[in-house]
């Protein structure tokens, strides 16, 4: 048994290999063509083609009987095992491969025979001379005799180590990128919270002082009409300033999100938004209780809705927007998901065309950073649909 298995198999032939294979096929065809006349010659030519391709194809191929012993292997499989084909025929997988890998392969082979179905699995193999993990994609399927009875298995071994290592690197980079994005959003929210607190405390005090002074001036002014008119103007401006600051604070950091939770905060947002945009029908549907969800998920949901409503106002030309929150139970993973659905009846757009703003990109990045999914569907004249699924780790 050769445990130092060489897996340096190429997926594509070089020009030289291709020419060599072609010459072998032509040589075999010529020999059969000279020796055997008639229809039998055609059959022999086909067999020669099959035999040459079987041995020259760089993919490791094998056949096994019902006892799971090798009855035929090609050159690539022999090279993979490190033994000549004649030494492999008659042996089982336990005679050729390391015990741990052989046990896993044997289990797959038995399952394929029992179920009479093709199977594909990926196995981690012993490391090569450079200490790198090796990965094999194993395909097996039953083959049948002339009477339609299962006669054994045919299978292939394909070295996918390069693509698997690249995939692992990509997954690590993606995970690090998500962590970095989460950190950036977390820092951003902390800065917004701090700025909102400062605005509330500092400007709030000055507005209260202005209102107090205006009341004193109002007493002193008496019935002086010009002065009373100026006082009313100052009060009006102070009231307008209060509304502006309140709106800014809501955009920077919704206080109700921290105090009342996501559900009540969204209902308050709906009231405030409806007052400022009475021409657009805003329908809010919340189908579950989201009181105890993680703070990070709450702020992501709020920010996505906030940006979506901003887009509806600025670009959609919609008369109706519907926002729905629900909880989806995953049967395969013990983890619930919050499902956010935002639909408007506006003019829509082509998602494949580059947009000038970063609102949609920000929504997508927030969802992906939380290990969620984000889907956007829109067509010109057919409105826009946003779907986001976020894991409810806090439930």
């Amino acid at each position: 048994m050769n445990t130092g298995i060489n897996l340096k198999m190429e997926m594509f032939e070089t020009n030289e290999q291709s020419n060599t294979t072609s010459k072998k096929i032509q040589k075999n065809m010529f020999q059969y063509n000279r020796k055997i006349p008639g229809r039998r010659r055609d059959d022999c030519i086909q067999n020669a083609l099959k035999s040459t391709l079987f041995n020259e194809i760089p993919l490791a191929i094998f056949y096994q009987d019902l006892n799971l012993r090798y009855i035929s292997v090609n050159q690539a499989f022999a090279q993979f095992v490190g033994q000549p084909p004649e030494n492999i025929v008659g042996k089982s997988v336990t005679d050729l491969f390391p015990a741990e890998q052989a046990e896993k392969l044997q289990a797959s082979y038995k399952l394929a025979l029992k179920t009479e179905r093709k199977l594909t699995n990926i196995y981690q193999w012993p490391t090569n001379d450079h200490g790198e993990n090796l990965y094999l994609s194993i395909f097996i399927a039953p083959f049948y005799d002339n009477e339609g009875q299962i006669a054994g298995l045919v299978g292939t071994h394909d070295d996918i180590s390069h693509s698997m290592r690249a995939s692992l690197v990509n997954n690590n980079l993606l995970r690090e990128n998500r962590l970095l994005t989460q950190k950036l959003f977390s820092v951003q929210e902390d800065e917004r919270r701090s700025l909102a607190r400062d605005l509330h405390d500092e400007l709030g005090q000055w507005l209260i002082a202005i209102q107090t002074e205006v009341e004193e001036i109002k007493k002193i002014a008496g019935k002086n009409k010009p002065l009373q008119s100026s006082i009313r103007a100052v009060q009006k401006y102070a009231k307008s300033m209060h509304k502006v600051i309140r709106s800014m604070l809501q955009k920077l950091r919704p206080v109700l999100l921290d105090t009342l939770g996501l559900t009540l905060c969204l209902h308050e947002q709906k009231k405030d938004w409806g007052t400022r945009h009475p021409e657009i029908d805003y329908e809010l549907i919340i189908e579950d209780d989201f009181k105890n969800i993680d703070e990070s998920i709450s702020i992501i949901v709020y920010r996505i809705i906030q940006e979506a409503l901003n887009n509806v106002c600025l670009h959609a030309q919609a008369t109706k927007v519907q926002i729905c929150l629900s909880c989806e139970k995953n049967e395969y993973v013990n983890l619930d998901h919050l499902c956010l659905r935002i639909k408007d009846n506006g003019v829509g757009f082509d998602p494949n065309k580059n947009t000038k703003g970063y609102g949609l990109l920000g929504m997508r990045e927030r969802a992906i950073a939380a290990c969620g999914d984000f889907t956007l569907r829109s067509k010109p004249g057919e409105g826009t649909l946003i779907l986001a699924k976020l894991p409810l780790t806090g439930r």
Side-chain angles (χ1 to χ4, degrees):
M1 180 174 64
N2 182 8
T3 58
I5 298 171
N6 180 15
L7 296 184
K8 297 179 180 178
M9 298 174 8
E10 299 293 336
M11 291 301 296
F12 299 97
E13 294 180 329
T14 63
N15 290 334
E16 182 179 352
Q17 290 173 321
S18 180
N19 291 334
T20 302
T21 302
S22 179
K23 289 178 180 177
K24 288 184 179 181
I25 294 175
Q26 291 175 4
K27 181 179 179 182
N28 287 343
M29 290 176 62
F30 177 73
Q31 290 175 345
Y32 279 108
N33 212 21
R34 289 182 57 189
K35 295 179 181 179
I36 305 173
R39 183 174 179 180
R40 189 181 170 199
R41 179 192 304 165
D42 295 334
D43 294 337
C44 291
I45 289 174
Q46 293 297 323
N47 290 333
L49 286 169
K50 294 176 182 178
S51 176
T52 304
L53 289 173
F54 179 69
N55 284 308
E56 294 301 323
I57 193 169
L59 191 65
I61 306 174
F62 65 89
Y63 286 87
Q64 291 180 325
D65 59 20
L66 292 176
N67 294 319
L68 298 180
R69 294 191 174 276
Y70 294 98
I71 56 179
S72 180
V73 299
N74 69 348
Q75 291 294 334
F77 187 89
Q79 183 182 2
F80 167 73
V81 174
Q83 298 185 33
E86 57 269 20
N87 289 355
I88 298 175
V89 173
K91 292 183 179 179
S92 68
V93 66
T94 55
D95 299 322
L96 301 176
F97 301 113
E100 183 179 352
Q101 283 69 35
E103 182 180 355
K104 293 179 180 179
L105 292 176
Q106 191 81 338
S108 295
Y109 296 161
K110 289 180 179 179
L111 181 61
L113 277 181
K114 181 178 179 180
T115 61
E116 297 189 21
R117 296 176 62 184
K118 60 183 180 181
L119 299 174
T120 302
N121 288 310
I122 295 176
Y123 297 93
Q124 186 172 342
W125 218 253
T127 56
N128 60 15
D129 296 335
H130 302 289
E132 297 175 318
N133 288 328
L134 302 177
Y135 298 89
L136 288 181
S137 175
I138 311 294
F139 170 81
I140 47 178
F143 70 90
Y144 301 84
D145 57 23
N146 294 333
E147 297 179 356
Q149 299 296 318
I150 186 169
L153 293 177
V154 58
T156 62
H157 290 187
D158 186 14
D159 180 12
I160 59 169
S161 301
H162 179 75
S163 60
M164 283 294 293
R165 283 194 290 269
S167 177
L168 290 174
V169 170
N170 288 337
N171 288 337
N172 288 334
L173 289 175
L174 179 60
R175 183 170 59 254
E176 292 175 0
N177 183 64
R178 283 181 174 177
L179 291 174
L180 177 60
T181 305
Q182 287 177 358
K183 183 62 177 177
L184 289 174
F185 282 130
S186 177
V187 170
Q188 184 186 68
E189 291 299 330
D190 288 342
E191 291 179 348
R192 285 181 170 181
R193 183 188 289 109
S194 177
L195 181 57
R197 187 186 303 114
D198 291 342
L199 283 173
H200 179 271
D201 294 342
E202 296 294 331
L203 292 181
Q205 289 182 11
W206 287 112
L207 282 174
I208 292 174
I210 290 173
Q211 291 172 354
T212 302
E213 291 299 324
V214 167
E215 290 297 327
E216 291 298 322
I217 296 172
K218 188 176 180 181
K219 294 177 182 178
I220 298 173
K223 297 182 180 181
N224 188 321
K225 292 184 178 180
L227 193 55
Q228 288 288 352
S229 178
S230 296
I231 291 172
R232 286 193 295 270
V234 172
Q235 288 177 322
K236 178 181 178 182
Y237 298 150
K239 187 176 181 180
S240 298
M241 186 182 295
H242 183 270
K243 289 182 178 179
V244 171
I245 293 174
R246 185 173 179 272
S247 177
M248 291 173 61
L249 292 176
Q250 189 70 8
K251 290 179 180 179
L252 283 172
R253 180 69 185 188
V255 179
L256 294 178
L257 190 61
D258 297 326
T259 57
L260 301 179
L262 179 62
T263 301
L264 293 177
C265 180
L266 291 179
H267 281 294
E268 288 298 320
Q269 180 201 51
K270 177 180 181 297
K271 292 179 183 179
D272 181 65
W273 196 85
T275 302
R276 289 182 287 112
H277 305 282
E279 73 281 3
I280 303 177
D281 180 21
Y282 178 179
E283 182 182 8
L284 177 64
I285 303 173
I286 300 179
E287 299 180 350
D288 209 311
D289 179 12
F290 297 104
K291 289 182 179 179
N292 299 320
I293 66 174
D294 189 79
E295 179 188 359
S296 61
I297 298 299
S298 293
I299 194 63
I300 289 172
V301 172
Y302 183 86
R303 293 302 183 199
I304 291 177
I305 292 176
Q306 188 179 50
E307 184 61 38
L309 290 175
N310 185 56
N311 289 340
V312 169
C313 294
L314 296 179
H315 310 294
Q317 302 177 32
T319 59
K320 183 176 181 179
V321 58
Q322 183 189 74
I323 296 178
C324 179
L325 273 74
S326 61
C327 181
E328 180 182 277
K329 306 224 178 255
N330 195 314
E331 297 179 358
Y332 303 100
V333 182
N334 188 22
L335 187 66
D336 295 344
H337 284 77
L338 181 149
C339 299
L340 172 62
R341 183 180 184 274
I342 306 173
K343 171 69 176 175
D344 69 63
N345 65 345
V347 295
F349 65 99
D350 185 356
N352 296 320
K353 292 184 178 180
N354 293 329
T355 57
K356 296 181 180 179
Y358 296 95
L360 291 174
L361 178 61
M363 286 190 275
R364 186 185 303 277
E365 288 297 321
R366 285 183 182 275
I368 293 176
C371 299
D373 297 323
F374 183 89
T375 304
L376 172 69
R377 299 172 187 168
S378 185
K379 287 183 180 180
E382 297 186 13
T384 300
L385 174 64
I386 292 174
L387 297 171
K389 287 187 178 182
L390 303 169
L392 293 175
T393 55
R395 288 173 71 90

mmCIF file of all heavy atoms in Angstrom, residues 55 58 108 147 156 160 271 321 338 375:
data_model
loop_
_atom_site.group_PDB
_atom_site.id
_atom_site.type_symbol
_atom_site.label_atom_id
_atom_site.label_comp_id
_atom_site.label_asym_id
_atom_site.label_seq_id
_atom_site.Cartn_x
_atom_site.Cartn_y
_atom_site.Cartn_z
ATOM 1 N N ASN A 55 -7.581 5.032 -20.853
ATOM 2 C CA ASN A 55 -6.253 5.034 -20.271
ATOM 3 C C ASN A 55 -5.563 6.394 -20.343
ATOM 4 O O ASN A 55 -4.664 6.672 -19.555
ATOM 5 C CB ASN A 55 -5.371 3.986 -20.957
ATOM 6 C CG ASN A 55 -5.700 2.577 -20.494
ATOM 7 O OD1 ASN A 55 -5.744 2.308 -19.304
ATOM 8 N ND2 ASN A 55 -5.946 1.683 -21.433
ATOM 9 N N PRO A 58 -7.027 12.177 -18.046
ATOM 10 C CA PRO A 58 -6.307 12.456 -16.789
ATOM 11 C C PRO A 58 -7.137 12.250 -15.533
ATOM 12 O O PRO A 58 -6.612 12.346 -14.434
ATOM 13 C CB PRO A 58 -5.915 13.931 -16.935
ATOM 14 C CG PRO A 58 -6.924 14.509 -17.866
ATOM 15 C CD PRO A 58 -7.272 13.412 -18.826
ATOM 16 N N SER A 108 -19.107 4.589 1.500
ATOM 17 C CA SER A 108 -19.793 5.217 0.361
ATOM 18 C C SER A 108 -20.076 4.205 -0.739
ATOM 19 O O SER A 108 -21.155 4.209 -1.349
ATOM 20 C CB SER A 108 -18.937 6.367 -0.192
ATOM 21 O OG SER A 108 -18.796 7.399 0.745
ATOM 22 N N GLU A 147 -28.553 -7.817 -18.875
ATOM 23 C CA GLU A 147 -29.876 -8.196 -18.413
ATOM 24 C C GLU A 147 -30.495 -7.153 -17.476
ATOM 25 O O GLU A 147 -31.569 -7.369 -16.916
ATOM 26 C CB GLU A 147 -29.809 -9.549 -17.697
ATOM 27 C CG GLU A 147 -29.354 -10.686 -18.621
ATOM 28 C CD GLU A 147 -29.263 -12.001 -17.885
ATOM 29 O OE1 GLU A 147 -29.483 -11.995 -16.650
ATOM 30 O OE2 GLU A 147 -28.990 -13.033 -18.520
ATOM 31 N N THR A 156 -14.936 7.785 -10.135
ATOM 32 C CA THR A 156 -13.817 8.663 -10.484
ATOM 33 C C THR A 156 -13.292 9.335 -9.220
ATOM 34 O O THR A 156 -14.035 9.563 -8.267
ATOM 35 C CB THR A 156 -14.247 9.765 -11.472
ATOM 36 O OG1 THR A 156 -15.241 10.602 -10.864
ATOM 37 C CG2 THR A 156 -14.807 9.166 -12.752
ATOM 38 N N ILE A 160 -9.320 18.057 -6.117
ATOM 39 C CA ILE A 160 -9.843 19.438 -6.109
ATOM 40 C C ILE A 160 -9.174 20.253 -5.011
ATOM 41 O O ILE A 160 -9.745 21.212 -4.499
ATOM 42 C CB ILE A 160 -11.377 19.434 -5.913
ATOM 43 C CG1 ILE A 160 -11.756 18.737 -4.598
ATOM 44 C CG2 ILE A 160 -12.089 18.788 -7.085
ATOM 45 C CD1 ILE A 160 -13.205 18.921 -4.214
ATOM 46 N N LYS A 271 -45.949 57.016 12.592
ATOM 47 C CA LYS A 271 -46.753 58.220 12.856
ATOM 48 C C LYS A 271 -46.035 59.480 12.394
ATOM 49 O O LYS A 271 -46.610 60.338 11.724
ATOM 50 C CB LYS A 271 -47.070 58.315 14.352
ATOM 51 C CG LYS A 271 -48.005 57.235 14.866
ATOM 52 C CD LYS A 271 -48.223 57.416 16.365
ATOM 53 C CE LYS A 271 -49.108 56.309 16.929
ATOM 54 N NZ LYS A 271 -49.292 56.463 18.397
ATOM 55 N N VAL A 321 -46.458 52.360 0.344
ATOM 56 C CA VAL A 321 -45.328 51.534 0.747
ATOM 57 C C VAL A 321 -45.789 50.620 1.880
ATOM 58 O O VAL A 321 -46.506 51.049 2.780
ATOM 59 C CB VAL A 321 -44.121 52.402 1.179
ATOM 60 C CG1 VAL A 321 -44.496 53.328 2.328
ATOM 61 C CG2 VAL A 321 -42.943 51.516 1.580
ATOM 62 N N LEU A 338 -35.428 36.856 11.408
ATOM 63 C CA LEU A 338 -36.341 37.968 11.213
ATOM 64 C C LEU A 338 -36.408 38.252 9.720
ATOM 65 O O LEU A 338 -35.378 38.433 9.066
ATOM 66 C CB LEU A 338 -35.859 39.198 11.974
ATOM 67 C CG LEU A 338 -36.748 40.448 11.889
ATOM 68 C CD1 LEU A 338 -36.632 41.268 13.174
ATOM 69 C CD2 LEU A 338 -36.390 41.329 10.696
ATOM 70 N N THR A 375 -32.021 40.771 -0.600
ATOM 71 C CA THR A 375 -32.453 40.612 -1.984
ATOM 72 C C THR A 375 -33.212 41.852 -2.422
ATOM 73 O O THR A 375 -34.061 42.357 -1.683
ATOM 74 C CB THR A 375 -33.371 39.375 -2.140
ATOM 75 O OG1 THR A 375 -32.678 38.218 -1.659
ATOM 76 C CG2 THR A 375 -33.745 39.167 -3.599
#
